[in-house]
Amino acid sequence: MTAEPLLSVDNLTVQFRTDTGWLTAIEDVGFSLGAGETLGIVGESGSGKSVTALSLLRLHATATTRIPTGTITFAGQNLLRLPSRALRRIRGGEIAMIFQDPMSSLNPVLTIADQIGETLALHQGLDRAAARRRAIELLDLVRIADAAHRVDAYPHQLSGGQRQRVMIAIAIACRPKLLIADEPTTALDVTIQAQILDLLRDLQAELGMSVILISHDLGVIAEFARRVLVMYAGRVVEAAPATTLFRRPMHPYTSGLMQAIPPLDADVHRLPTIQGSIPDPARRIPGCRFSPRCAEAQPTCRITAPSLVPVGPDHLARCPPRAGAAR
């Protein structure tokens, strides 16, 4: 008997209100995640990765956001129907998020002890002294040296890698079932990136968390994720196990992303690129959204929007198998 997924997203569409009307940021997004699994979401900037992540916790401004279709089911509960008080218990408690930029996410006028302690007080009812002791334990857990001293520091007194570790400490403070890591290694040098990924992997094994890792870096995704979603212009264009996706990508966009990775065993004089850029979401493109940039586009691609269809075992792509078979 197959276990129910921890998280299941189905037919999710998110729109934002603008001066010219409602803009569709993501459309018909769906995926599932089991307990202890890791899902990677990859795509260029503007593809809808972060919008999807923030939607899981309903973190978009309610006055300018609407979700006309979709369900987000977590541990048997539809998060889109939960009242605000119930959702606040889940945010930071059962589902936690590491945001892109720790310097802008951390409060510059509060110490690290105060910022970790806020989560512990809200979800676990710890008093100030107990929260501070637990904050030191968490800083030790995320491998910040001299945690008893650093816990009283302010964000500007820490390095970029240390601030990212503090963000991870805040996220795991309540031992969440699901951790969403939105570009957790952006703006960090390669050595620190590797340390952060190793830390996340170790914490996942120790705490038994499921992880959603969002990145534009295919190397990071290949190293960390078990299953991968590729997003383009607000839609999922391919979904497959990581080993399958990197061995045989079936969508031209996925292939283009992989061809742009420089090989380690050869000299490179010029990297292949995907011509053009992601379209303005306010501009509705008939047919396949990638067709204006796709070297393999057929006349029908510019007329009919392709569905996400099976192209192999546990492998979906928004591209006709006939076109994908040659890749």
Side-chain angles (χ1 to χ4, degrees):
M1 184 175 179
T2 304
E4 288 292 320
L6 176 68
L7 175 71
S8 180
V9 178
D10 184 53
N11 192 34
L12 181 65
T13 296
V14 176
Q15 298 176 328
F16 298 128
R17 187 170 60 192
T18 68
D19 292 339
T20 57
W22 288 96
L23 179 151
T24 300
I26 61 171
E27 184 176 359
D28 192 26
V29 170
F31 59 89
S32 62
L33 181 66
E37 291 186 337
T38 304
L39 174 73
I41 304 180
V42 69
E44 294 170 280
S45 296
S47 61
K49 307 184 301 298
S50 294
V51 172
T52 300
L54 293 170
S55 299
L56 299 181
L57 287 171
R58 286 165 47 191
L59 290 175
H60 298 297
T62 55
T64 56
T65 307
R66 70 181 183 186
I67 301 178
T69 66
T71 58
I72 302 172
T73 305
F74 174 76
Q77 303 177 87
N78 185 353
L79 300 185
L80 296 181
R81 294 185 178 179
L82 283 184
S84 297
R85 180 174 295 181
L87 189 59
R88 280 197 296 270
R89 288 196 296 267
I90 290 176
R91 291 176 181 150
E94 297 186 54
I95 304 177
M97 188 164 181
I98 304 170
F99 297 95
Q100 286 190 25
D101 182 2
M103 195 58 192
S104 61
S105 299
L106 293 170
N107 191 322
V109 300
L110 294 179
T111 67
I112 302 307
D114 288 335
Q115 298 190 58
I116 299 177
E118 182 180 20
T119 297
L120 295 168
L122 177 64
H123 292 286
Q124 298 185 354
L126 299 187
D127 61 26
R128 187 178 182 87
R132 188 179 188 281
R133 288 193 298 270
R134 178 58 179 154
I136 294 172
E137 293 173 0
L138 287 164
L139 293 186
D140 276 328
L141 187 61
V142 298
R143 303 170 192 166
I144 289 183
D146 194 13
H149 173 69
R150 291 296 184 183
V151 76
D152 294 317
Y154 290 88
H156 72 274
Q157 296 175 307
L158 304 178
S159 68
Q162 288 173 327
R163 288 194 293 267
Q164 192 63 280
R165 290 169 190 267
V166 169
M167 290 296 297
I168 295 171
I170 294 172
I172 66 169
C174 299
R175 302 180 70 92
K177 296 177 181 177
L178 171 60
L179 177 66
I180 303 169
D182 189 1
E183 302 276 9
T185 60
T186 297
L188 300 177
D189 65 52
V190 176
T191 301
I192 302 301
Q193 282 187 24
Q195 292 175 2
I196 294 297
L197 290 177
D198 286 342
L199 173 61
L200 288 175
R201 189 181 293 106
D202 291 346
L203 290 172
Q204 181 182 21
E206 181 174 343
L207 303 178
M209 300 181 299
S210 300
V211 176
I212 295 176
L213 176 65
I214 298 169
S215 181
H216 63 273
D217 188 330
L218 282 169
V220 169
I221 294 293
E223 181 180 347
F224 197 83
R226 188 191 70 84
R227 184 170 175 78
V228 183
L229 294 185
V230 182
M231 293 191 69
Y232 181 80
R235 307 191 84 177
V236 176
V237 296
E238 190 160 5
T243 52
T244 301
L245 187 84
F246 284 92
R247 184 176 64 250
R248 192 170 183 237
M250 296 295 282
H251 194 281
Y253 178 63
T254 311
S255 298
L257 291 177
M258 292 185 183
Q259 289 167 11
I261 301 174
L264 298 177
D265 57 352
D267 293 332
V268 178
H269 301 288
R270 185 180 180 86
L271 278 176
T273 60
I274 303 174
Q275 297 300 313
S277 58
I278 285 183
D280 184 340
R283 176 181 163 224
R284 302 301 294 176
I285 296 177
C288 174
R289 295 180 184 180
F290 186 59
S291 62
R293 305 174 67 188
C294 182
E296 301 179 28
Q298 305 295 315
T300 54
C301 298
R302 307 182 194 281
I303 300 171
T304 305
S307 300
L308 200 60
V309 296
V311 292
D314 198 24
H315 191 169
L316 302 174
R318 199 176 292 275
C319 189
R322 178 182 62 81
R327 287 190 285 277

